[in-house]
Amino acid sequence: MAKGLGDKGKEPLRAFFNNKTSDDDITHVAIKDCRPNPYQPREQFDDETLAELAQSIEKHGILQPLIVRGSIKGFEIVVGERRFRAAQKAGLAQVPAIVKELTDEEMMELALLENLQREDLTPIEEARSYEKLMKELGVTQDVLSQRLGKSRSHISNLIRLLTLPNVVVEKINTGKLSMGHGRALLGLKDRDEQMNLVKRIERDSLNVRQVETIIKEINEKKPKKKEKKTKDIFLQEREENLKERLGTSVKIHKGKRKGKIEIEFTNEQDLERIIDMFGKKE
């Protein structure tokens, strides 16, 4: 399993940003030699706020240095891409920076942690970052929650948003729908029903509570399935464990001679995510 900043012998992840920096640690690097972090979780950079930051930089300079990693082509930005973009707009030739020796895994973790601390990510950006870290580091939601200081349920709930239709995911990512709307829509299994309800949300400006009420009414109108025999507590515990680890619905069926496990997925991307989790060991 790949190791990150939370591992023994490495600088603790949450303490990384709290370390005091002396002037001797800061150098100045040419903007033309810097390139964005390939593991940057942020997809949305607001032009208006960047312009405001650029004006501040023109007047006061960059007050907090960037964190960069040396590469063959110059420097990769680990932390501070927003400041870097604003410095470009301000026409600066150099930026103050601290050069660190970091692995790819550490870069991913630090970029995500910085944005989480600043609450700069959309729910979808955050979810995609968790999913990518789990895949790249080969860790479970349990391990990731401990490493980042986020609850497992928080991580699981966000990742589940990625199982919604792509058009719905992008509406949440751009703020056209809220995370609350997305979580409510997960209550509908039929994708056509989800899309029809999204149209109603946008047309009638429905709030989350209204959407939850509509979904409850839709589900109550559906014919109820015959009651099944109470499942073995042992199997129920295993189902819940797999559900939390995989971030999707899991059913275990026990027969007289052999049993089977059903793992639900909603699209090819979701299927690949689940397969990748089975393909890597912790």
Side-chain angles (χ1 to χ4, degrees), residues 225-249:
K225 296 181 180 180
K226 293 182 180 179
E227 291 186 7
K228 297 181 179 179
K229 293 181 180 179
T230 304
K231 185 168 287 187
D232 189 303
I233 294 178
F234 173 82
L235 295 183
Q236 287 181 340
E237 290 179 350
R238 295 302 180 271
E239 280 184 351
E240 286 301 315
N241 183 268
L242 286 172
K243 180 179 179 181
E244 290 175 351
R245 286 174 175 270
L246 301 178
T248 189
S249 177

Side-chain angles (χ1 to χ4, degrees), residues 41-44 112 115-116 119-131 154-164 168-183:
R42 289 186 67 185
E43 302 168 6
Q44 310 287 331
L112 174 57
N115 283 287
L116 290 177
E119 297 184 345
D120 280 344
L121 298 179
T122 69
I124 297 303
E125 289 172 339
E126 190 174 343
R128 285 171 174 162
S129 297
Y130 291 145
E131 188 176 62
H154 173 79
I155 293 174
S156 178
N157 287 333
L158 283 179
I159 289 178
R160 286 185 67 217
L161 293 176
L162 301 180
T163 65
L164 290 166
V168 180
V169 170
E170 289 311 313
K171 285 180 182 293
I172 298 172
N173 197 33
T174 55
K176 294 178 181 178
L177 291 176
S178 71
M179 181 175 70
H181 284 118
R183 290 186 62 180

Side-chain angles (χ1 to χ4, degrees), residues 69-103:
R69 177 179 77 165
S71 68
I72 297 175
K73 296 182 180 179
F75 299 94
E76 292 178 328
I77 299 169
V78 182
V79 172
E81 185 170 338
R82 186 168 170 272
R83 275 165 278 155
F84 166 72
R85 288 173 180 248
Q88 284 182 311
K89 283 182 175 289
L92 268 62
Q94 294 182 326
V95 290
I98 301 170
V99 182
K100 292 279 188 178
E101 292 184 7
L102 300 168
T103 66

Side-chain angles (χ1 to χ4, degrees), residues 7-36:
D7 298 307
K8 187 177 180 181
K10 299 293 184 86
E11 191 172 9
L13 186 58
R14 298 186 202 107
F16 185 88
F17 295 106
N18 297 327
N19 288 347
K20 293 183 179 180
T21 301
S22 68
D23 292 339
D24 293 336
D25 296 326
I26 301 173
T27 185
H28 284 77
V29 297
I31 281 185
K32 65 180 179 63
D33 293 333
C34 296
R35 62 189 183 94

